[in-house]
Amino acid sequence: MSVASNLLPTNTSGIETDTSGWTAGSNTTLSRSTRFYQGASSLGLTATAAGTVAATISARVAVVAGTEYMAYSYWANVAAAAGRSATIRVDWYAAVSGGSAISSVTSATSGLPNATTWQTPPPILIGTAPVGAQYASVTITCTGLSAGATVVTDVVSFGPPALISGNLLPYGTQGVEVDTTGWVPSAGVTLARSSAAAYEGWYSLQATSTVDAGGTMFFRTGPLTAVAEGTEYVASAWVNTAHAGVPIAIQIVWFDEAGVSVGTRASVTWTPSVASTWTRLTVIGNPPPGATRGRAYLAPQPTAVGQVWLVDQVVLRPSPLPAGSLIGHNVASMEIDATGWTAVSGCTISRTTETAWEGAASLRIDETGTGGMDATVAMATPVPVTPRQAYQVIPRLKLGAGPSGRQLVTSYAWLNDADELIRTSHITWSLGSSAGTGWYSPATSAVAPTGAAFLVVSFRVLSTIAGQPAFLDDVQLTPGGLAAVADAVPDSYSTTIALQGLTSGGYTYWGLWRQGGDGALVPIRGPLADLTQVTITGDSAVVEDYEVPLGVEVRYYLKVWTGSSWRATLSDPIVVPEPPSTEIVLKDPGLPARQTTAVVAKGGQPNWTRKARQGVNPIRGRSRPVVISDMRTSREGTVTLVTESAEDVASMWWLLETGNVLLIQWPSLWGERDVYVSVGDVVEAPYVEYAEYTDRVWTIPLTEVDRPIGGATGSAGRTWATVASESVDGMELLTEYASWLGAYTGLEGT
């Protein structure tokens, strides 16, 4: 039993400094006592005359109307005395000071022991702030004191109760800390509160059988709880009984709007194997069509009248799965069994409660090293996927003791509609040093290839150590995650790369590189410079690559990082179609809109020359000169091109007139590598001596240069339709851009 967060100031709750957080009631003198339940002191209340002592917090605390709150405090006698009892009261107010209370709620009376030991359980109340309430005041009271007698109180608490995350049941039903009104005895049972044992707090629900062996014993939560079709729900409870080996079922029963049960109830029967030990029971189910309400049931199977089951921390909630999860709660967390997984090689698997990241159970992987195989487990059932969608897997993995450098391989097996394997994507995580005490969260992601209909995820622990266990829990499989999806754009001989999941993992920067057949990474040009370190400002981005080689397979390498921590992924291979084998592509890397194709005239392929840089110095009296040389120049040559139409001529001059460095991409069959060139004096000449023919021959001298630095301005895909769609009218267009080049490239101020 606890509040999720104590709204009372620390000194008011624990009186560690002074009593300034409290105002004495009538017949009461306050003091700071050196006795304590927690910390080093407590609040002393001394009776001026025989009767009752009380104190109220000096300043009201803010509350939210309609919210449930809990209050309690621990009491003790300074000198042993009988007949004293304590309560705690909360008054709700509309203002921070003054005015009358809207309403009040007071705990049940709780007697102090006839001793100086602390009173446990303490007086406890649970109440909901009424409409109009914005503040609350807490008052503590103790009756039955003689004149001059003193009692002490400590750890005075007020705040929202520690409701389990997502629980649709109120805290009073979850833990029966105040009463059993949240529970209903259905058949063969009596219900009461018990302080004999509790999983959390001071009380548990005590269910006592009134039937013998073979009889029906049911008890349930009270009001129906709203549920939604398409959402998976989980009900769980901690149960403690002296009757080991006696089965008990936990169920979710579904109801329609009229309160009539519909469909088949979700039910799992458990048999606690150890007496007088808390065991967590779990059932998982989906509402059937027409179900709008649900209720949790517990059904022990008694063997005798008077058998007792203690129940605590009962939950009915949507399964704690991430949005869009492709797997159910039992596959993710093994809360019922291990049927969602299969041992592929090098191990055996089982459900265990010895350790868990989420809930009470995990998948135990006992590494056998059979046949020298690494321990590998896989999902037992494929899940449906959508082609070209990225999927992310985040497991929680705990290894046994072993050497540093152990690795986990997450594999994505993509299947088609016929359950045939298309391909498998493998991503490896280095887990570093493992002492078997911590959990890892090795997040990975991959993109479903074209034709994929199903996915099976598997995990392989490299460097298996026979006899060592590993534990798997809270496996998350969702759409999304870090991915780069590349598409060819044949019209502009380029690619677009859609990046997603940039914000997953909380990294600071991202970078994108192109990987060719030789494995070398080439940075992709962005608007300002190469995209080798871009600050992450959103989850997705789209990048265009106008320098991608044509007719060959490439992939894109996306990396996100902060300091030395990083993640990376590769896109699927992609090939950008090239033009006919007689044509070359000429591009301006800095202005992608400026590009064209042209036919290479017969014999017009460059004859490359690399000039020597040397001085030949004849020496008197010697037959051989002294030659001083340096590195040769880059390649130089002349290409001869042919264009056919006036439009082709205009495109060629549009490309050449800036004088910028160009990229020439040759047909792949020529064996020429793509080259960046500076263009010298260009000659445009008629192909034939008849003026009406528009064919032209171009003589273009080339000098090979380094890849130019800087960014790419604009996009080859930007058209006048794009420009028109950005502006309401022509006046807005004219005021937005400083020149027509700005409108064409999309850069303001150009």
Side-chain angles (χ1 to χ4, degrees):
M1 175 206 69
S2 63
V3 292
S5 59
N6 195 350
L7 300 181
L8 301 182
T10 301
N11 189 51
T12 303
S13 173
I15 312 92
E16 295 301 306
T17 304
D18 53 40
T19 64
S20 60
W22 292 91
T23 300
S26 61
N27 197 45
T28 305
T29 301
L30 301 181
S31 62
R32 177 171 170 267
S33 171
T34 56
R35 296 204 60 209
F36 58 87
Y37 182 82
Q38 181 178 296
S41 59
S42 61
L43 181 67
L45 297 88
T46 302
T48 305
T52 299
V53 291
T56 301
I57 59 174
S58 300
R60 297 172 188 171
V61 294
V63 295
V64 178
T67 300
E68 190 176 58
Y69 293 91
M70 183 179 192
Y72 56 88
S73 65
Y74 295 90
W75 292 82
N77 287 310
V78 172
R84 294 174 181 171
S85 59
T87 58
I88 188 167
R89 186 183 80 239
V90 173
D91 299 297
W92 311 104
Y93 292 89
V96 68
S97 62
S100 300
I102 298 173
S103 62
S104 301
V105 57
T106 303
S107 71
T109 300
S110 180
L112 275 63
N114 185 6
T116 58
T117 55
W118 287 90
Q119 170 204 40
T120 55
I124 306 165
L125 72 79
I126 298 175
T128 300
V131 175
Q134 298 187 55
Y135 296 91
S137 180
V138 177
T139 298
I140 52 178
T141 302
C142 186
T143 64
L145 276 71
S146 58
T150 301
V151 289
V152 291
T153 188
D154 199 4
V155 193
V156 185
S157 301
F158 172 73
L163 190 69
I164 294 173
S165 177
N167 197 357
L168 302 176
L169 304 176
Y171 183 73
T173 303
Q174 172 183 298
V176 296
E177 290 300 305
V178 173
D179 54 44
T180 64
T181 56
W183 288 89
V184 175
S186 295
V189 66
T190 60
L191 300 179
R193 273 198 314 163
S194 171
S195 60
Y199 187 81
E200 188 268 349
W202 291 103
Y203 293 96
S204 60
L205 180 69
Q206 177 178 293
T208 303
S209 169
T210 61
V211 293
D212 211 330
T216 300
M217 180 178 176
F218 276 99
F219 53 100
R220 62 171 175 81
T221 56
L224 290 170
T225 300
V227 297
E229 285 187 46
T231 299
E232 183 184 80
Y233 289 85
V234 57
S236 64
W238 288 93
V239 173
N240 189 326
T241 180
H243 312 292
V246 178
I248 176 172
I250 183 170
Q251 303 175 343
I252 305 176
V253 181
W254 313 106
F255 298 85
D256 61 18
E257 200 66 30
V260 178
S261 64
V262 295
T264 303
R265 65 183 61 191
S267 180
V268 175
T269 299
W270 297 81
T271 304
S273 58
V274 181
S276 304
T277 299
W278 288 101
T279 301
R280 191 184 197 220
L281 317 183
T282 302
V283 62
I284 301 169
N286 290 278
T292 61
R293 302 284 188 272
R295 178 181 282 150
Y297 279 73
L298 287 163
Q301 299 174 22
T303 59
V305 174
Q307 291 180 337
V308 172
W309 283 262
L310 301 179
V311 179
D312 201 359
Q313 296 299 282
V314 181
V315 174
L316 175 58
R317 62 172 172 169
S319 292
L321 297 168
S325 178
L326 275 66
I327 57 177
H329 184 46
N330 190 52
V331 179
S333 289
M334 288 60 70
E335 291 303 302
I336 297 176
D337 54 39
T339 57
W341 296 89
T342 182
V344 177
S345 64
C347 65
T348 61
I349 61 173
S350 59
R351 175 185 179 270
T352 182
T353 57
E354 59 191 286
T355 185
W357 172 270
E358 189 278 331
S362 63
L363 184 72
R364 177 175 171 133
I365 305 169
D366 285 289
E367 305 175 29
T368 62
T370 306
M373 302 291 288
D374 292 316
T376 304
V377 299
M379 289 167 40
T381 305
V383 294
V385 294
T386 302
R388 292 174 49 80
Q389 168 67 52
Y391 293 90
Q392 177 170 257
V393 174
I394 306 177
R396 311 292 181 177
L397 179 73
K398 184 178 182 180
L399 295 178
S404 62
R406 301 186 73 188
Q407 295 179 318
L408 176 75
V409 179
T410 301
S411 297
Y412 298 73
W414 308 104
L415 311 174
N416 61 18
D417 281 322
D419 286 335
E420 299 168 332
L421 180 66
I422 298 175
R423 76 158 183 263
T424 304
S425 307
H426 305 283
I427 301 99
T428 301
W429 263 83
S430 178
L431 301 175
S433 175
S434 171
T437 58
W439 289 87
Y440 293 96
S441 300
T444 60
S445 57
V447 176
T450 301
F454 299 98
L455 167 64
V456 174
V457 174
S458 63
F459 301 104
R460 176 185 175 194
V461 180
L462 298 183
S463 304
T464 293
I465 303 173
Q468 286 283 14
F471 302 92
L472 186 68
D473 196 10
D474 192 27
V475 180
Q476 299 181 9
L477 171 54
T478 58
L482 188 68
V485 181
D487 288 293
V489 185
D491 291 345
S492 59
Y493 301 104
S494 65
T495 59
T496 60
I497 309 97
L499 312 181
Q500 55 185 276
L502 299 177
T503 57
S504 60
Y507 295 100
T508 305
Y509 303 106
W510 64 267
L512 186 66
W513 293 261
R514 183 192 328 111
Q515 184 183 66
D518 60 357
L521 296 177
V522 178
I524 305 304
R525 194 182 303 273
L528 301 176
D530 288 341
L531 302 174
T532 55
Q533 183 170 317
V534 182
T535 301
I536 295 174
T537 57
D539 191 65
S540 61
V542 176
V543 176
E544 297 171 320
D545 180 13
Y546 291 98
E547 297 164 85
V548 57
L550 309 180
V552 296
E553 189 174 274
V554 298
R555 304 178 77 178
Y556 289 90
Y557 176 80
L558 172 63
K559 177 181 177 181
V560 292
W561 71 93
T562 299
S564 60
S565 176
W566 60 278
R567 281 186 61 194
T569 187
L570 272 172
S571 74
D572 286 344
I574 189 172
V575 176
V576 179
E578 56 187 341
S581 60
T582 57
E583 295 183 12
I584 65 171
V585 179
L586 300 96
K587 299 176 178 176
D588 184 335
L591 291 168
R594 297 177 186 261
Q595 62 172 273
T596 190
T597 60
V599 175
V600 177
K602 184 177 181 180
Q605 187 175 353
N607 292 317
W608 294 110
T609 300
R610 296 193 67 180
K611 295 178 182 178
R613 291 172 176 164
Q614 62 184 18
V616 180
N617 303 285
I619 304 299
R620 183 178 180 183
R622 292 185 58 178
S623 60
R624 297 181 182 87
V626 173
V627 179
I628 301 174
S629 61
D630 197 358
M631 183 179 291
R632 288 184 179 273
T633 65
S634 65
R635 296 185 298 172
E636 297 179 3
T638 299
V639 65
T640 304
L641 306 177
V642 177
T643 58
E644 181 178 346
S645 65
E647 289 80 8
D648 293 339
V649 173
S651 294
M652 185 65 74
W653 282 121
W654 166 246
L655 174 68
L656 295 172
E657 68 182 5
T658 64
N660 292 341
V661 170
L662 303 182
L663 170 62
I664 297 181
Q665 297 183 300
W666 314 97
S668 57
L669 294 176
W670 289 18
E672 286 272 5
R673 57 180 170 81
D674 294 352
V675 61
Y676 294 93
V677 296
S678 177
V679 178
D681 296 339
V682 176
V683 177
E684 174 200 350
Y687 191 75
V688 294
E689 296 180 357
Y690 295 98
E692 64 267 26
Y693 287 92
T694 57
D695 302 65
R696 294 292 184 269
V697 177
W698 301 79
T699 304
I700 304 177
L702 310 174
T703 301
E704 183 179 10
V705 297
D706 289 331
R707 178 176 180 266
I709 62 173
T713 303
S715 165
R718 185 175 173 84
T719 65
W720 283 114
T722 308
V723 175
S725 67
E726 295 174 345
S727 306
V728 175
D729 52 29
M731 180 59 69
E732 182 179 347
L733 173 64
L734 292 173
T735 56
E736 185 173 358
Y737 298 104
S739 67
W740 288 117
L741 180 61
Y744 195 81
T745 60
L747 295 182
E748 299 179 21
T750 302

